[in-house]
Amino acid sequence: MSSNDRLIRKLQADTVLGDYEIETLARLPIRPADLAGRQDIVKEGDRPSKCCLVVEGVAIRYKLTAHGDRQILAVHLPGDVPDLQSLLLRTLDHTLATLSPCRVGFIDHADLLDAITRAPMLGRALWRETLIDAAIFREWMTGLGRRDAPERLAHFFCEIGTRLQAVGLAADNGYPLHITQQELADAMGLTTVHINRTLRELREAGLVTLSDGRVSIPDWSGLRARASFDPTYLHLRSR
Amino acid sequence: MSSNDRLIRKLQADTVLGDYEIETLARLPIRPADLAGRQDIVKEGDRPSKCCLVVEGVAIRYKLTAHGDRQILAVHLPGDVPDLQSLLLRTLDHTLATLSPCRVGFIDHADLLDAITRAPMLGRALWRETLIDAAIFREWMTGLGRRDAPERLAHFFCEIGTRLQAVGLAADNGYPLHITQQELADAMGLTTVHINRTLRELREAGLVTLSDGRVSIPDWSGLRARASFDPTYLHLRSR
DNA sequence: CGCGCTATTGAGAGAGCTCAATGTGCGTGG
DNA sequence: CCACGCACATTGAGCTCTCTCAATAGCGCG
């Protein structure tokens, strides 16, 4: 699938696009690049002049505290534009990095601004993407503040599965996800050791298994129940 | 200060506005209303047809978990439009409520959409507001996941002070904030009891005092240091 | 074949939680 | 004007979830 098609497909998971907007997107210049895993793309403090579309693979955004602890803020799947906000916010307040090896596409701010000037409804669709991004932050905040480790982790696996399904990249019984327990810990606000034990707990309960870069979900409804997962916050078009 | 002026002033704290955008904002129909404290304005699941501008007072947004715990997601000060996202996201994924008694201004989605159609740069300024909103969420996530209670609380007091200063509502030595320890606990992802003890710790260290609805900061630089506070994420125009 | 990264497990420690009692200020009804 | 109820703040004591420290094991790669 081309970079442009990946973006079109993702936007269509969230919003109804008109022919003109689709056409504009199809013509948008996107420069492809292949990146290794665990590698920073743009760093906190940078002032990028382009956005980065995830075409294949998984990207993350994170912050470091003054004490050197890391908090992973978001996980980005194919079709996402993790740093879309850099279009209007000059300096980056966090770092964007690859998790797995990624194929990405760079889109110049100038081209994107030009596109949304010519197709204002496309601008709204992109604005909407950033609003969904924020909705996901809110859900994560709720988890970080008020959910215990098993629920938080179960919720995470539900969310990623649901988002992958929305772009056609998840099977019914699981999905690929090359994430280490250290990274899971940094995303959940926990430690590796505790992630390990919590993962075991969920596995022994027959809800999820993470191994060899694959999340297996033998019991979706059990997992959803364990997480009290309600996908409304993802603001997907169907479901 | 009128509702429109309050909004203009806030947007100018974040973005340079042109005369035409200011003019458009000044003409925007805003219906004022006075609301009591601790009262929901719009609830999770609602599909509002208007946005709510905070003119005076403090508003919050929160979510409830399946177990009935509350997480406060954001604190909104005069000039903020806490539910601006409802312009593009049909159903609300959280609740908006007053904290203190508030004067608010309701702006119909139709009027706002009309304004940003006529003044696309105003649309970008509003988009930018929602992006800053998201940047604050990211900072809070970092705190919830990776900062201990004293640092998290100190960071909160720094943020609110800085944001109030940006709209000219804070003195050098503190600011008014009618928030209970229960609400602070729900914002910090902690319990009331622990907030109480942490507040005492910060008070005894001579950094902040919260009493009678007022935050007193005898030692700003000490507080900032305790919190490792860096205001970059607020994306304010000056500073 | 040895280093480095990741996963796993045990044991002890601690930050933050729960439960519960007490204090304090304020508004309301008698 | 006083008594009472109620919301909020404060403090103690014990508990638990999660952390820290540390050791072991598996695996890929130079």
Side-chain angles (χ1 to χ4, degrees):
Chain A
M1 188 181 287
S2 85
S3 300
N4 299 66
D5 289 343
R6 186 62 88 190
L7 179 58
I8 292 167
R9 174 158 193 179
K10 172 62 199 304
L11 294 183
Q12 285 184 319
D14 296 330
T15 311
V16 180
L17 294 177
D19 289 342
Y20 179 58
E21 284 71 37
I22 292 176
E23 182 61 21
T24 306
L25 281 168
R27 290 180 198 280
L28 194 62
I30 304 182
R31 295 193 310 285
D34 286 298
L35 305 177
R38 335 280 152 173
Q39 167 183 334
D40 290 348
I41 303 173
V42 278
K43 292 180 209 258
E44 182 169 350
D46 285 357
R47 295 165 165 252
S49 62
K50 56 186 190 296
C51 290
C52 174
L53 165 71
V54 179
V55 181
E56 274 172 43
V58 179
I60 57 171
R61 294 195 274 172
Y62 66 85
K63 278 198 188 221
L64 298 175
T65 68
H67 312 294
D69 294 314
R70 182 166 82 149
Q71 176 65 44
I72 291 179
L73 304 163
V75 169
H76 290 284
L77 308 174
D80 289 354
V81 183
D83 58 350
L84 189 48
Q85 95 257 334
S86 70
L87 195 62
L88 297 182
L89 255 28
R90 274 302 116 171
T91 103
L92 223 57
D93 53 52
H94 60 275
T95 299
L96 171 63
T98 60
L99 190 73
S100 63
C102 283
R103 164 157 297 168
V104 301
F106 291 110
I107 312 172
D108 283 333
H109 284 174
D111 291 329
L112 208 43
L113 288 170
D114 183 55
I116 68 180
T117 301
R118 282 185 289 108
M121 287 326 228
L122 174 58
R124 292 206 190 159
L126 292 173
W127 184 358
R128 194 160 192 279
E129 289 302 306
T130 64
L131 294 174
I132 293 172
D133 206 48
I136 295 173
F137 291 148
R138 290 192 288 271
E139 190 63 41
W140 282 41
M141 284 177 70
T142 307
L144 287 166
R146 292 301 187 205
R147 286 197 259 262
D148 65 12
E151 192 172 345
R152 212 182 293 175
L153 205 44
H155 199 279
F156 175 81
F157 289 128
C158 286
E159 176 185 311
I160 303 298
T162 305
R163 288 170 53 194
L164 281 171
Q165 277 166 13
V167 288
L169 292 170
D172 280 349
N173 60 344
Y175 51 85
L177 187 68
H178 288 272
I179 193 169
T180 65
Q181 294 184 4
Q182 178 60 64
E183 288 154 348
L184 230 26
D186 287 344
M188 300 294 100
L190 299 167
T191 58
T192 313
V193 173
H194 202 60
I195 286 290
N196 186 286
R197 297 195 225 269
T198 308
L199 235 23
R200 179 175 57 187
E201 182 184 327
L202 294 176
R203 184 186 337 117
E204 287 174 352
L207 297 175
V208 239
T209 302
L210 174 65
S211 68
D212 300 318
R214 182 169 180 80
V215 176
S216 302
I217 305 182
D219 178 6
W220 250 110
S221 79
L223 186 65
R224 265 196 300 268
R226 187 74 182 76
S228 301
F229 181 73
D230 173 354
T232 306
Y233 73 97
L234 293 173
H235 297 273
L236 293 169
R237 202 142 64 81
S238 54
R239 283 191 71 95
Chain B
M1 189 180 286
S2 85
S3 300
N4 300 65
D5 290 341
R6 187 62 90 188
L7 179 58
I8 291 167
R9 173 159 195 178
K10 173 62 198 303
L11 294 183
Q12 285 184 320
D14 296 331
T15 310
V16 180
L17 294 176
D19 290 344
Y20 179 58
E21 285 70 37
I22 293 176
E23 183 62 20
T24 306
L25 280 169
R27 290 182 198 281
L28 195 62
I30 303 183
R31 294 193 310 284
D34 285 298
L35 304 176
R38 336 279 153 172
Q39 166 183 333
D40 290 348
I41 302 174
V42 278
K43 291 180 210 258
E44 182 170 349
D46 284 357
R47 295 165 165 253
S49 62
K50 56 185 188 300
C51 289
C52 175
L53 165 72
V54 179
V55 181
E56 274 172 42
V58 178
I60 56 171
R61 296 195 274 171
Y62 66 84
K63 279 199 187 218
L64 298 174
T65 69
H67 311 294
D69 294 315
R70 182 166 82 149
Q71 177 65 44
I72 291 180
L73 305 164
V75 169
H76 290 284
L77 309 174
D80 289 353
V81 184
D83 58 349
L84 189 48
Q85 94 258 334
S86 70
L87 196 61
L88 297 181
L89 255 28
R90 274 303 115 170
T91 102
L92 223 57
D93 53 51
H94 60 273
T95 298
L96 172 63
T98 60
L99 190 72
S100 63
C102 284
R103 165 155 297 168
V104 301
F106 292 110
I107 311 171
D108 283 332
H109 284 174
D111 292 328
L112 209 43
L113 288 170
D114 184 54
I116 67 180
T117 301
R118 283 185 289 108
M121 286 327 231
L122 174 58
R124 291 205 191 159
L126 292 173
W127 184 359
R128 193 159 192 279
E129 289 302 305
T130 64
L131 294 175
I132 293 172
D133 206 48
I136 295 172
F137 291 150
R138 289 192 289 271
E139 191 64 40
W140 282 41
M141 285 177 69
T142 307
L144 287 166
R146 292 300 187 207
R147 285 198 260 261
D148 66 11
E151 191 172 344
R152 211 182 294 175
L153 205 44
H155 199 280
F156 175 81
F157 290 127
C158 285
E159 176 184 312
I160 302 299
T162 305
R163 288 170 53 196
L164 281 171
Q165 277 166 12
V167 289
L169 292 171
D172 280 349
N173 61 343
Y175 50 86
L177 186 69
H178 288 271
I179 192 168
T180 65
Q181 295 185 4
Q182 178 61 65
E183 288 154 347
L184 228 27
D186 286 345
M188 300 294 100
L190 299 166
T191 58
T192 312
V193 173
H194 201 61
I195 286 289
N196 185 286
R197 297 196 225 268
T198 307
L199 234 24
R200 180 176 55 187
E201 182 183 328
L202 293 176
R203 184 186 337 117
E204 288 174 351
L207 298 174
V208 238
T209 302
L210 174 65
S211 68
D212 300 317
R214 181 168 182 82
V215 176
S216 301
I217 305 182
D219 179 5
W220 250 110
S221 80
L223 186 65
R224 264 197 300 268
R226 187 74 182 77
S228 300
F229 182 73
D230 173 354
T232 306
Y233 73 97
L234 294 173
H235 297 274
L236 293 169
R237 203 142 65 80
S238 54
R239 281 189 72 94

